[in-house]
């Protein structure tokens, strides 16, 4: 067996220096404490875990606390949604990524007007798999490879980018009923704007028979069909530009202001808010916050 031979005969190198963090960073010592079952130590510079970050035991109140905390950081210019990210343990839960992306998608990419013209309207896009609402400026993540092969240029599963353009797709042959820009009135609050988007999405999915479609029903033909719009995305890590036009690659896009630890593993951001709460059982396992951090 080559491995025991290598262990006994080949030179050994001990890796005893960490290069990813500064020498006085509290990140590595705190990760060591978490892995050992000890609580982390607060550091205002690089590992905030003081009383302000302690979540109420009630999940609804915990959600409200995070809303207020992040909104304050955002208003103070200390939280940049394009560079910073929320990591949570679940897709669907009181503190899951679907809630945070729904809550912050308009707050972190608000309507921009030039006179009376909205320059980044939400656009309802129809695909053979589902309907998706995106706007220029949205931060998005690919959740699969969009039906493209490894030989094709593709916005890979797990990649994060910013939407820079949305335009109608000439190759689309489906219905245009209800598709396109969603009107957001000037004085609409965030809740009203979000409800208008969800109502439009639900109406289009119902009229096109997409509501409740099962993954097993998604054929290769549906994956490769043209979507109603072409979405141009600039990948955050590389600056590469991708023009997404297939149903599979556009339906796989999700907003990425919050992601699960599973999806974000191996990636990094300027600031990371890691949500640990008793309503998320895996977050009470010390391996999960260690991995997330």
């Amino acid at each position: 067996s080559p491995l025991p031979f290598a262990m006994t005969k080949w030179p050994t190198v001990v890796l005893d220096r960490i290069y990813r963090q500064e020498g006085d960073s509290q990140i590595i010592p705190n990760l060591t404490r978490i892995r050992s079952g000890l609580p982390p130590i607060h550091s205002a510079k690089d590992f905030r875990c003081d009383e302000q970050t302690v979540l109420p035991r009630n999940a609804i109140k915990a959600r409200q606390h995070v809303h207020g905390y992040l909104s304050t950081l955002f208003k103070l210019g200390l939280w940049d949604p394009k560079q910073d990210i929320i990591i949570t343990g679940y897709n669907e839960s009181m503190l899951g990524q679907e809630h945070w992306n729904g809550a912050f998608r308009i707050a972190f990419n608000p309507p921009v007007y030039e006179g009376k013209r909205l320059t980044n309207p939400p656009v309802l896009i129809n695909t053979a798999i589902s309907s998706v609402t995106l706007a220029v400026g949205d931060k998005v993540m690919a959740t699969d490879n969009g039906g493209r092969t490894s030989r094709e240029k593709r916005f890979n599963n797990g990649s994060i980018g910013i939407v820079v353009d949305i335009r109608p797709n000439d190759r689309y042959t489906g219905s245009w009923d209800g598709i396109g820009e969603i009107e957001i009135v000037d004085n609409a609050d965030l809740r009203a704007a979000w409800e208008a988007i969800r109502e439009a999405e639900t109406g289009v999915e119902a009229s096109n028979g997409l509501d409740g479609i099962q993954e097993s029903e998604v054929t290769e033909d549906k994956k490769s069909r043209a979507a109603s719009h072409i979405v141009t995305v600039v990948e955050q890590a590389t600056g590469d530009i991708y023009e997404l036009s297939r149903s599979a690659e556009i339906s796989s896009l999700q907003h990425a202001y919050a992601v699960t630890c599973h999806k974000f593993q191996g990636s990094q951001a300027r600031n990371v808010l890691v949500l640990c709460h008793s309503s998320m059982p895996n977050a009470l396992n010390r391996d999960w916050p260690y991995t997330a951090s």
Side-chain angles (χ1 to χ4, degrees):
S1 178
L3 185 57
F5 174 83
M7 293 173 65
T8 58
K9 301 295 184 181
W10 291 356
T12 301
V13 176
V14 177
L15 303 178
D16 58 2
R17 180 176 176 184
I18 298 171
Y19 290 88
R20 292 188 67 180
Q21 279 84 28
E22 298 176 2
D24 60 347
S25 171
Q26 192 61 35
I27 294 177
I28 296 302
N30 271 338
L31 293 186
T32 302
R33 290 179 62 87
I34 290 171
R35 189 172 56 185
S36 303
L38 300 173
I41 298 173
H42 172 71
S43 168
K45 177 184 175 185
D46 51 31
F47 208 105
R48 291 181 175 269
C49 52
D50 57 356
E51 291 184 0
Q52 285 185 315
T53 64
V54 175
L55 298 179
R57 188 174 296 273
N58 180 279
I60 295 177
K61 291 182 178 179
R63 177 191 278 188
Q64 294 170 343
H65 184 90
V66 175
H67 271 276
Y69 183 75
L70 268 184
S71 297
T72 300
L73 291 180
F74 181 60
K75 290 175 182 177
L76 293 174
L78 301 176
W79 184 268
D80 180 357
K82 289 184 169 59
Q83 300 183 73
D84 306 331
I85 203 157
I86 306 165
I87 293 183
T88 182
Y90 292 92
N91 287 311
E92 300 176 7
S93 77
M94 189 68 69
L95 300 174
Q97 63 92 6
E98 289 189 5
H99 167 74
W100 300 116
N101 284 321
F104 289 125
R105 62 189 292 185
I106 299 175
F108 287 161
N109 185 28
V112 177
Y113 289 89
E114 287 184 359
K116 292 186 177 181
R117 187 177 73 89
L118 182 59
T119 61
N120 62 335
V123 179
L124 181 52
I125 303 169
N126 196 28
T127 81
I129 301 170
S130 65
S131 62
V132 179
T133 304
L134 298 171
V136 170
D138 279 351
K139 182 181 180 181
V140 295
M141 170 186 276
T143 57
D144 67 31
N145 292 326
R148 292 182 181 261
T149 67
S150 59
R151 295 187 298 274
E152 297 177 283
K153 183 177 181 181
R154 62 188 185 184
F155 191 48
N156 284 317
N157 184 12
S159 296
I160 292 177
I162 304 297
V163 175
V164 295
D165 184 59
I166 303 173
R167 66 184 188 276
N169 188 352
D170 293 338
R171 294 179 55 246
Y172 176 67
T173 58
S175 170
W176 284 96
D177 290 343
I179 305 301
E181 296 183 6
I182 299 173
E183 184 177 357
I184 302 295
V185 297
D186 290 4
N187 60 351
D189 61 20
L190 297 182
R191 182 178 295 276
W194 169 238
E195 289 177 352
I197 290 173
R198 286 301 302 143
E199 183 178 349
E201 286 180 346
T202 303
V204 167
E205 288 191 349
S207 65
N208 289 314
L210 300 174
D211 192 20
I213 191 169
Q214 300 297 314
E215 187 174 345
S216 59
E217 300 172 9
V218 179
T219 63
E220 291 302 317
D221 173 63
K222 286 183 177 179
K223 288 182 179 181
S224 61
R225 288 184 197 174
S228 62
H229 291 73
I230 298 172
V231 178
T232 305
V233 178
V234 176
E235 187 173 2
Q236 206 169 40
T238 64
D240 290 341
I241 299 174
Y242 295 87
E243 289 203 341
L244 311 179
S245 60
R246 299 182 184 184
S247 287
E249 46 194 8
I250 292 181
S251 65
S252 81
L253 293 179
Q254 68 176 38
H255 286 83
Y257 302 109
V259 297
T260 62
C261 177
H262 172 74
K263 275 292 182 185
F264 201 64
Q265 195 166 346
S267 302
Q268 59 185 10
R270 187 189 66 161
N271 291 309
V272 178
L273 180 67
V274 180
L275 292 179
C276 299
H277 191 262
S278 57
S279 64
M280 303 187 295
N282 66 352
L284 301 182
N285 183 327
R286 62 189 179 191
D287 293 340
W288 188 88
Y290 172 81
T291 303
S293 301

